[in-house]
Amino acid sequence: MSGTHRSVVLEIYPGDITGLAVDAIVNAANERLLGGGGVDGAIHRAAGPELLEECRALNGCTTGQAKATKGYRLPARHVIHTVGPVWRGGDTGEAELLASCYRTSLALARDLAVRSIAFPAISTGVYGYPLMAAAEVAVTTAREELAANAGDLEQVLFCVFGEEAKAAYEAALGE
Ligand code: ADP
């Protein structure tokens, strides 16, 4: 099959990412990788204490990069922890760093032979990235990356929390 073009399905999933039985879920983590609030806290609570133990051994992660762990008590087999940029108005490389989160996470997913993956709206909570702009970066970058090399990926879910996020992703996907 290598070299042939398969199309990957990009979809919106409204709800809690921790319940998703996909091969990998992505965590919007912080540079220390030791848990936090928002989706990060929810993932650690659902995965159990072994996740934090594995994260400790990773020695953090720089903004725009990603590192993988097992999913432990989650239905997802892998967690890909990526660190989104803090929004500072848009002139400090935020868009490029956010795009890098999606690229590096998808590259890791490829290395892990992942077929299905779910992303939260990275940086759009405590980190303050405007939803519309963040959804645009997420969708555009995922499409570019998947067109270049999808690996085994068949399904990419954008997990949205709330109506505003859902509308932003619908717009970005052209729905
Ligand atoms: P960041 O620090 O990257 O901004 P947050 O966790 O604060 O990360 O928010 C990222 C996004 O994840 C927000 O849009 C928030 O609404 C959403 N979110 C929070 N909890 C969950 C969850 N359990 N499942 C999916 N998305 C979530």
Side-chain angles (χ1 to χ4, degrees):
M1 285 292 282
S2 82
T4 53
H5 184 77
R6 275 188 303 106
S7 65
V8 183
V9 181
L10 274 65
E11 287 172 303
I12 295 169
Y13 173 85
D16 184 351
I17 202 168
T18 63
L20 283 173
V22 286
D23 290 343
I25 62 170
V26 177
N27 181 17
N30 56 56
E31 287 195 334
R32 284 165 297 136
L33 297 186
L34 299 178
V39 73
D40 194 4
I43 287 171
H44 275 274
R45 278 193 300 278
E50 290 152 296
L51 178 61
L52 184 58
E53 221 170 283
E54 187 176 356
C55 281
R56 278 190 215 287
L58 295 177
N59 286 312
C61 180
T62 53
T63 300
Q65 298 300 302
K67 292 186 178 181
T69 65
K70 291 189 275 189
Y72 300 99
R73 295 178 202 170
L74 291 164
R77 192 148 38 95
H78 307 282
V79 180
I80 295 175
H81 306 263
T82 189
V83 185
V86 175
W87 178 259
R88 295 194 170 88
D91 294 331
T92 57
E94 290 95 328
E96 187 42 49
L97 287 166
L98 186 60
S100 174
C101 289
Y102 287 92
R103 275 198 304 271
T104 55
S105 296
L106 288 168
L108 262 182
R110 245 179 355 242
D111 295 344
L112 294 165
V114 162
R115 290 157 66 139
S116 55
I117 187 170
F119 283 94
I122 300 163
S123 283
T124 66
V126 172
Y127 282 5
Y129 207 114
L131 261 171
M132 288 292 263
E136 192 64 42
V137 170
V139 170
T140 305
T141 308
R143 280 186 176 143
E144 283 169 6
E145 188 64 26
L146 294 167
N149 186 357
D152 293 327
L153 273 166
E154 293 168 0
Q155 185 189 40
V156 175
L157 296 176
F158 294 111
C159 182
V160 295
F161 232 44
E163 281 308 311
E164 196 194 344
K166 186 161 174 279
Y169 277 84
E170 280 169 355
L173 286 165
E175 290 174 3

